Amino acid sequence: MTTSFSLPRRRFVQGLALGGTALGLGLTPAQLFARQGQTGAPELRGNQFQLNIGAADVNLTGRNRPATLVNGSLPAPTLRWREGETVTLRVTNHLPETTSIHWHGLLLPFQMDGVPGLSFDGIGPGETFTYQFPLRQSGTYWYHSHSGFQEQTGLYGGLIIDPAEPDPHAVDRDYAVVLSDWSDQDPKRIYATLKKLSHYYNFSERTLFDTLTDFREKGVVRTLKDRHMWNRMRMSETDLADVTGYSYSFLVNGHTPAANWQARFEPGERIKLRFINASAMTIFDLRIPGLDMTVVAMDGQPVKPVRFHECRLGVAETLDVIVEPKDHRAYTLFAQTIDRSGYARGTLTPDPSLSAEVPELDPVPLLGHREMGMGAMDHSAMGHDSGAMKTMDHSRMNHGGMDHGDMNHGDMSGGMDHGSMNHQGMSHGTQSGMDHSAMGHANHDTNAAVPFAVSADNPDLPPRQSATEHADSEYGPGVDMRAMSPAPMLDDPGIGLRDRAWKVLTYADLEYAHGLPDSTRPEREIVLHLTGNMERYMWSFNGIPFADAEPLELYHNERVRLTLVNDTMMHHPIHLHGLWSDLELGDGRLLRKHTLLVKPGEKLSYLVRADALGRWAYHCHLLYHMEAGMFREVRVVPRHQHHSDEESRP
């Protein structure tokens, strides 16, 4: 059947009524989008849908601002499907510009993936595009625009696929909790500001009073040397988020903290909360004071249950938890931002008249040695003033200007050379902690696959690379830092969460619920460095922005290990479209995901089965990082079309 939509009653945001009207009330799309949008996402069920994308004003902060909406709501409607069915979605564009919808985390033909320039041309003004694909999975996912900055202005929504078989974790109530960030500023202006002054939105910079405090606590000499180190790097130890609460309001299902989105329960019930981080740029730390959570799925995939109290949720990740409140009282759903500049808030309550105390924001955490890529070093032998600059190589930096602000993602293939790739092996001598200014740099292929010998003691776990090598492309104006000693950090809660008195969930705590989802033995390895120049706001893989990068090519059905090294001091949620990412946890354990949050200075590896032919996007899911160049195309091709040197394969 075809699912129409009708929006629920008007809601109030910070005391301001938002008009909500729908096609189901007899309005045409033009009339619908001429009115104000409304907050709160209706849920649509079925297998055939009509989705209308258009512009409308919303009022979240006291003034009307333009938004991009689906069927007139912010967030877009939550779509609820069933595994095993085939869904058909007619998407009509009522905007004056091209639009698109990407189904984040879904396995589908690449032509349905919704990335203009890779999988299709986009949906032009006045056009209708029909998405149709079978549902080969279940779980919690989401969808969003992959055109320009439309995701930032409201084109995102939750997506739930119920399993074909009964869910092993039965619950009494089930809520999608969509977290997002909203700005009254035009996102084009935000991006232009970041390109001109990357720390513009950081209002937690160190002050004279902080320096005086450091003099008392650390001494004058050490304080001055620390200040000199940060000044040389042209970085700030409080630089945790590019866009902060100075510009953003943080939302739960389209509601500001003052609007206080509510979820009802009765004491003794089991409630599933499906957290979806649909923000453009914001990493959230989630907790429900007074109530433990049990995780049962991440990124839509079932995991062995783990009880915890708090977790960090990267942009584009999803987390299913079960809570069992016993008392007749309210609980606050508290999601503070990683930089502590604001929070999203909702309430779990048995009575709409009840609310719970909202915790105070934590102090702003400070970046340190671990975030500088010094996690694998022995700090005890370094001394306070010697370590950072000796293990971080800034000597070959070229601070000449490069500006990718005008990069157009509308046609991602135009002007690019997609010739053959060279997967010759790379030499990995021991060079942790070395200054590369004194070394010659071989002209390495920055997309190179690294052959290896199978480990004799465990043939299913080939040895990882232990050293760090940087290619020539990482020495230029687009890279202002290289981690000389990155370290595994899967069991690290992360900056600002390491000293908690309660359980903080980490990747190391989790494991795919049904054993190994695929082989732990890859055929080859590809190493990619996450690189950038924060001052110039340039982002890339291996120092090469998308506009200059060749695609990564994978054989159809091969098993590949991707190793990521974060050379920057920022978190990067890395998302590969169309293919599962099986994070290697050690001891032969895997965690199946679609998005991986890579910490500053971290090195991690995951396995990919290239089982879907086509052209797939691969990028950082921080919207402005992707726009600034941290994007690649991944091509899965038949083996006879692969152009790499066969002799380089083990």
Side-chain angles (χ1 to χ4, degrees), residues 208-458:
L208 174 62
F209 297 103
D210 293 319
T211 301
L212 294 176
T213 299
D214 288 344
F215 281 161
R216 290 193 299 269
E217 295 180 354
K218 298 192 294 185
V220 174
V221 173
R222 181 182 171 190
T223 297
L224 292 177
K225 287 185 175 181
D226 284 348
R227 292 300 93 217
H228 177 64
M229 176 188 73
W230 287 104
N231 289 336
R232 281 187 62 189
M233 292 189 296
R234 303 186 186 185
M235 297 177 184
S236 167
E237 57 194 326
T238 62
D239 198 3
L240 294 160
D242 296 347
V243 190
T244 69
Y246 172 68
S247 178
Y248 277 153
S249 298
F250 303 104
L251 311 180
V252 174
N253 289 338
H255 291 67
T256 63
N260 189 22
W261 175 81
Q262 290 188 341
R264 295 288 300 277
F265 76 89
E266 294 296 332
E269 289 183 329
R270 286 168 53 88
I271 302 131
K272 178 179 284 188
L273 301 174
R274 302 174 183 262
F275 290 106
I276 301 169
N277 189 347
S279 61
M281 292 292 290
T282 304
I283 297 167
F284 289 104
D285 291 340
L286 304 171
R287 70 181 192 265
I288 308 176
L291 196 59
D292 288 346
M293 295 178 274
T294 299
V295 58
V296 293
M298 191 170 200
D299 287 359
Q301 296 301 288
V303 298
K304 295 180 180 179
V306 177
R307 292 179 67 86
F308 70 100
H309 190 270
E310 187 172 16
C311 73
R312 176 158 290 165
L313 195 64
V315 174
E317 290 187 304
T318 72
L319 189 77
D320 291 10
V321 304
I322 292 176
V323 295
E324 301 181 63
K326 305 298 183 185
D327 301 325
H328 191 276
R329 52 160 290 194
Y331 299 88
T332 295
L333 307 180
F334 184 65
Q336 64 178 329
T337 64
I338 191 173
D339 69 314
R340 311 311 190 219
S341 66
Y343 62 89
R345 169 248 188 157
T347 299
L348 189 63
T349 179
D351 185 334
S353 65
L354 297 178
S355 61
E357 181 180 358
V358 179
E360 293 186 3
L361 290 168
D362 291 334
V364 179
L366 301 180
L367 296 166
H369 287 168
R370 196 175 318 193
E371 287 73 38
M372 293 177 187
M374 300 162 61
M377 301 191 66
D378 180 6
H379 298 291
S380 63
M382 289 169 48
H384 293 306
D385 60 341
S386 63
M389 296 310 296
K390 288 184 179 179
T391 57
M392 297 169 58
D393 176 14
H394 300 271
S395 57
R396 288 183 57 181
M397 288 164 51
N398 175 359
H399 292 289
M402 286 177 64
D403 187 356
H404 295 280
D406 294 328
M407 189 173 76
N408 181 6
H409 287 283
D411 181 2
M412 296 182 179
S413 59
M416 294 178 62
D417 178 6
H418 298 306
S420 63
M421 293 171 53
N422 177 14
H423 292 285
Q424 295 290 340
M426 296 170 65
S427 173
H428 295 276
T430 302
Q431 47 193 6
S432 299
M434 294 180 65
D435 182 338
H436 285 239
S437 61
M439 297 175 58
H441 292 276
N443 185 20
H444 298 294
D445 174 8
T446 56
N447 295 335
V450 182
F452 50 78
V454 176
S455 173
D457 57 342
N458 189 342

Side-chain angles (χ1 to χ4, degrees), residues 34-258:
R35 301 188 175 213
Q36 288 182 321
Q38 74 111 52
T39 58
E43 183 179 282
L44 308 182
R45 294 174 179 253
N47 53 33
Q48 297 189 47
F49 302 83
Q50 173 65 49
L51 302 180
N52 295 281
I53 300 175
D57 285 345
V58 298
N59 190 330
L60 295 170
T61 62
R63 58 176 180 165
N64 291 337
R65 300 301 300 161
T68 307
L69 308 178
V70 177
N71 289 6
S73 72
L74 189 158
T78 297
L79 304 180
R80 192 140 195 167
W81 304 336
R82 180 167 292 279
E83 182 183 13
E85 295 188 354
T86 294
V87 292
T88 302
L89 304 107
R90 288 174 48 84
V91 180
T92 302
N93 181 11
H94 301 280
L95 297 170
E97 61 189 18
T98 297
T99 190
S100 60
I101 291 180
H102 164 59
W103 313 100
H104 188 105
L106 296 199
L107 306 178
L108 36 64
F110 86 95
Q111 298 90 341
M112 297 288 107
D113 194 46
V115 180
L118 290 187
S119 56
F120 76 147
D121 294 331
I123 309 171
E127 294 181 353
T128 295
F129 182 84
T130 299
Y131 293 91
Q132 187 175 71
F133 45 87
L135 301 176
R136 301 162 48 196
Q137 64 207 94
S138 62
T140 304
Y141 306 93
W142 65 299
Y143 64 101
H144 59 85
S145 172
H146 232 287
S147 299
F149 296 114
Q150 293 170 7
E151 178 188 329
Q152 175 74 92
T153 58
L155 210 171
Y156 56 86
L159 180 57
I160 300 171
I161 306 176
D162 292 315
E165 301 297 327
D167 194 320
H169 303 286
V171 294
D172 299 296
R173 298 177 191 255
D174 187 329
Y175 294 104
V177 184
V178 180
L179 304 170
S180 61
D181 43 29
W182 166 267
S183 178
D184 282 350
Q185 281 190 303
D186 185 332
K188 294 179 181 177
R189 181 179 176 186
I190 292 176
Y191 183 67
T193 299
L194 291 170
K195 293 292 292 182
K196 295 171 185 174
L197 193 64
S198 63
H199 60 275
Y200 177 84
Y201 297 101
N202 183 1
F203 274 60
S204 298
E205 297 282 9
R206 304 284 281 172
T207 66
L208 174 62
F209 297 103
D210 293 319
T211 301
L212 294 176
T213 299
D214 288 344
F215 281 161
R216 290 193 299 269
E217 295 180 354
K218 298 192 294 185
V220 174
V221 173
R222 181 182 171 190
T223 297
L224 292 177
K225 287 185 175 181
D226 284 348
R227 292 300 93 217
H228 177 64
M229 176 188 73
W230 287 104
N231 289 336
R232 281 187 62 189
M233 292 189 296
R234 303 186 186 185
M235 297 177 184
S236 167
E237 57 194 326
T238 62
D239 198 3
L240 294 160
D242 296 347
V243 190
T244 69
Y246 172 68
S247 178
Y248 277 153
S249 298
F250 303 104
L251 311 180
V252 174
N253 289 338
H255 291 67
T256 63

